[in-house]
Structures are given as structure tokens and as C-alpha cells.
Amino acid sequence: MPTFPFSETDPIQHHGPPPKTSEVVIVGGGIVGVTTALFLAQRNIPVTLLEKGRVAAEQSSRNWGWIRKQGRDADELPIVIEACRLWRQLAEECGEDIGLNQTGVTYLASSDKKMAGFEEFMKIAAIHQLDTRLLDSDETAKLIKGASRRFKGAMTTPSDMRAEPWLAVPALARLAARKGAKIVENCAVRTLEISAGKIRGVWTEAGYIETSSVLVAGGAWSSLLLARHGVSIPQLSVRVTVAATAPLPEIYPGAAADEHIAFRRRQDGGYTLAPGGSNLLYLGPDAFRHATKYLPALMANPFGTRYFPFAPPGYPDSWSTPRDWAPDSRSPFEGMRVLNPVAERSGLRSVERNFRRLFPQFETVRLKASWGGMIDAMPDVVPVVDRAEAIGGLFVATGMSGHGFGIGPGIGRVVSDMIQGNESGHDLSRFRLSRFYDGSAVRLGPAL
């Protein structure tokens, strides 16, 4: 079965060498880094984005392709509402078909308890005047055609959207480059240069870049780079399995999920499938270091995560991955240009079986591609978007916790203004890094 389309063997699209100086340097070529670079370039601010492998090759292209307001943390909602507007704007500006469609997102409920959780979100939806609504069993059956089981009901948001991640993020990177951002692939940032408590530059495998502002938006790799400089983030990476089917008749044009299966209509006529709520955590040094901060999430969903005693060599939290290295020596980021976990065979069997069980009219469901992804997770399931207090000029946007694709352009716009010293237009206190160290209780985001 074919695997994911991006790899480190793909031709480089954004060539070096990097400049000797840049007002802003961004570490990481995912949706957050790319859109931050785009908005800075639109303001004519010299910005250089450095990607150790290929733009969007990791989680920003491996996600489910959902762009949703539904089920969001209350503090994320204003940003994701802005992000939905920006998605439409950027899709038009980039001039490429990124598969953006307003087809809705629906959560299916098999129990009264699940429906009660939906009712709680409806209170948040009402505050923000979302078009989210609850469906009864009959209405759900009419919306999701051909399902083999009767659901208690559902929650649906017709204005939510979908897009093709492996098309969208590279297209936005090309737009950012046209606007003036310098993007360099296959160029890892090894270390930060810090003097008198402030950013002075970055050391890359291609040499030194003088800069006064650095954004670390490296997804699963952010914590490893930041810890090298004494900035501790309780970020872990969990592995998920995803598959794409061959074209099938349409059962629902948008994205939907129950407790067993998540599915999303694709531009090519197939469906993207994933387990409804299962992931795998590799136990490594960071997992043990930050274990207590994850206890609330573990207690809330004790069976949602499975554990493996060690990660493959070279992974961010592998026992063998170096935690310290010199600016002039090869870094862990060069050792693994693209974090490309394999799909779990059991996970693939599960999604195929559960999808066919829910839609028995599909006598065969051919999986034409499969892949794994590493989600950068936080203890409370919301990201860190903040300045690093101890190091002037250092900004962090990471830990998107599996829902960074949809909110990405909103975070990119917010961070671009943060770097410029402008007001963000949103209350960002929920996303401060210090919440994990100032005695604040862990407040879990919605597990919807």
C-alpha cells in the first residue's frame, strides 16, 4: 500500500542559501510557521523560514483536513473564527485549488452522556453565534446517509470546512515566498545564539544568521530545541494512524466522527479515515519528566492512549536522541529530516472494519494509502502561544494538540503581530507557557 506522499527524497522546492541577516527567523515549515511568515511578509518585514526537511512534510500535511469551530476550547474559538475567514481569503490569494469546501463537521453520539457533552458546547456556541445545532436520532439518520446503526443524536456545524492539507500548506508557502518571505528547506536550525538574555542569531547547518526575533514552531521537535536553551515545555508527541480510501459513493460531504471512526470526504472522491479516539505514546525522558502534568488528561480518558516503552531511534523523545550538541556539530534535526512514522497495521484493520461496519453498503473499502503522524500534545489540549520570558526575542507557537491545521492561519496572524509588538486582538492568557509552572491547575480543553 502506498504511504505518505512527502518524504526527504522529494525535490527541494525552496532553495538556499539562507541570508546572513533577517529581522525574523522562523523554525519550522508547518501551517503555523508558514502563515506567520506570510503575514510578516505582507507587512514587508524581512523574514526567513527554515525547515529541516520539506515544507508541510510532517503533521501539517498528515492531519485529517478538518477546519472546525465545533468542539473547540472556548478561548480558541475567537481565533479559529478568524482562521476560517482567513482560510477563504488565502485560498483565493494563493490561486491554487487546495480543496477548501464548506461541507460541515458532525459529531455522532451513541449515549445520553455524549449528548450532554454536546449541550455544554452549545452554550459556548451561542455566545459566539455559531450555526452549531443538535440533531435528534431521525435528523442524524437523514444527514449521515446509509449508517447501519441509530445514533442518539449528533452535533453539527454546517459552516465548518475541509481542505486537503498536503495541497494547502505547500500552496500557502508558495504564496508567502511570492510575498517576499525567504523559505529554505533542508536547512536545520541547530542552536540559538543568546547574549545578555536576548536572541542574537541562529546557528544553522548552512551557517549563522543574525536576527533579533525567533519563532519556534517546530511541532513535535519544538521541545527538544527549546530544552537545549533552558526553556522547558511539557510537550509530548503521540502517534496516530490515518488512511485514505479509493473513491466511494458520497455518504456525507463533510467530516464526521463517533467513538470508533472518524471520516472526511476527500477531494478525490474517497475518504480520509482515522480511529475515533486512539493514539500511541512512546515513553521517553520527556514523558517521565512531565508525567504529573498529564495526570488530569489521563484520569479523564484513561483508555484513550496506549503506551510503548521506547520510541524508534531519532524520534524527538527517543532514549537515544541527544539532548545537547554544539552549533558546529550535526544535530538531531538533521538526523531525521522528516518524521515519518509507519501506520499501525492494527489501526488500519480497525478503521477499515469500523467504516465498513458503519456503512455496510460498501462491500469493499480499498485503502489506497496509509500513514502515521506525530501530534505535538499539551497536558490541557491547548497550545502554547507566547513569548519566552527568560529570553528576549524568542517566541513559541507549538503544542497544537491535533487541531492546528484548522486554526493555523489564525495563530499565524496572531503570532506575526506578537512579533511586531502589536496587539493580537485576542485574549491569549490561556495559551501562556507559564500556566504549567505558576501553580495554575491544569484546565482541560474539550475532548470533543
Side-chain angles (χ1 to χ4, degrees), residues 82-320:
E82 178 183 1
C84 288
R85 176 182 60 79
L86 290 171
W87 270 112
R88 296 185 182 93
Q89 173 187 318
L90 295 175
E92 184 174 344
E93 286 185 23
C94 75
E96 300 182 44
D97 184 2
I98 62 172
L100 186 69
N101 287 281
Q102 181 179 309
T103 48
V105 165
T106 298
Y107 291 162
L108 303 165
S110 57
S111 67
D112 291 332
K113 180 180 179 181
K114 197 73 171 179
M115 287 299 295
F118 294 167
E119 289 170 0
E120 286 299 308
F121 181 76
M122 290 300 296
K123 299 173 185 177
I124 300 172
I127 293 171
H128 295 277
Q129 300 180 320
L130 302 185
D131 59 336
T132 306
R133 59 192 180 95
L134 297 182
L135 307 180
D136 63 22
S137 184
D138 289 339
E139 292 170 321
T140 301
K142 291 178 181 177
L143 183 67
I144 310 294
K145 299 177 178 63
S148 63
R149 56 182 292 198
R150 295 281 293 185
F151 290 95
K152 284 279 186 179
M155 180 169 67
T156 190
T157 305
S159 63
D160 281 350
M161 299 182 289
R162 60 178 170 90
E164 303 300 342
W166 50 90
L167 298 178
V169 182
L172 295 181
R174 288 187 284 270
L175 175 61
R178 292 196 299 272
K179 296 287 186 178
K182 177 62 176 177
I183 300 176
V184 184
E185 294 178 307
N186 223 57
C187 184
V189 171
R190 289 176 170 171
T191 64
L192 311 178
E193 180 71 15
I194 302 165
S195 177
K198 295 182 179 180
I199 290 288
R200 301 300 182 188
V202 297
W203 288 98
T204 81
E205 61 181 292
Y208 182 72
I209 304 175
E210 182 182 348
T211 186
S212 57
S213 298
V214 171
L215 167 65
V216 175
W221 299 94
S222 295
S223 179
L224 184 61
L225 175 61
L226 291 167
R228 166 70 175 69
H229 297 282
V231 179
S232 178
I233 291 186
Q235 174 184 299
L236 301 180
S237 299
V238 294
R239 191 180 82 173
V240 294
T241 290
V242 190
T245 76
L248 291 168
E250 183 173 286
I251 49 176
Y252 179 54
D258 67 7
E259 67 271 29
H260 300 297
I261 186 75
F263 56 94
R264 191 263 298 175
R265 186 69 166 169
R266 294 160 56 89
Q267 189 182 35
D268 61 10
Y271 284 87
T272 292
L273 307 180
S278 174
N279 52 60
L280 175 68
L281 172 64
Y282 294 115
L283 299 177
D286 289 341
F288 284 94
R289 185 178 300 114
H290 302 304
T292 57
K293 292 181 173 60
Y294 283 83
L295 286 177
L298 177 62
M299 294 172 65
N301 185 20
F303 304 110
T305 301
R306 293 167 294 114
Y307 304 93
F308 198 74
F310 54 85
Y315 277 44
D317 198 25
S318 171
W319 292 100
S320 60

Side-chain angles (χ1 to χ4, degrees), residues 35-114:
T35 54
T36 301
L38 171 57
F39 291 119
L40 288 170
Q42 287 180 333
R43 297 284 186 89
N44 296 315
I45 293 173
V47 56
T48 301
L49 185 153
L50 303 174
E51 166 54 50
K52 66 183 177 61
R54 302 293 184 273
V55 164
E58 295 191 358
Q59 195 54 27
S60 283
S61 59
R62 297 165 185 264
N63 62 80
W64 299 355
W66 298 28
I67 300 173
R68 64 176 174 87
K69 302 178 290 294
Q70 177 168 298
R72 288 279 182 174
D73 183 88
D75 291 292
E76 285 186 340
L77 256 177
I79 302 177
V80 80
I81 289 170
E82 178 183 1
C84 288
R85 176 182 60 79
L86 290 171
W87 270 112
R88 296 185 182 93
Q89 173 187 318
L90 295 175
E92 184 174 344
E93 286 185 23
C94 75
E96 300 182 44
D97 184 2
I98 62 172
L100 186 69
N101 287 281
Q102 181 179 309
T103 48
V105 165
T106 298
Y107 291 162
L108 303 165
S110 57
S111 67
D112 291 332
K113 180 180 179 181
K114 197 73 171 179

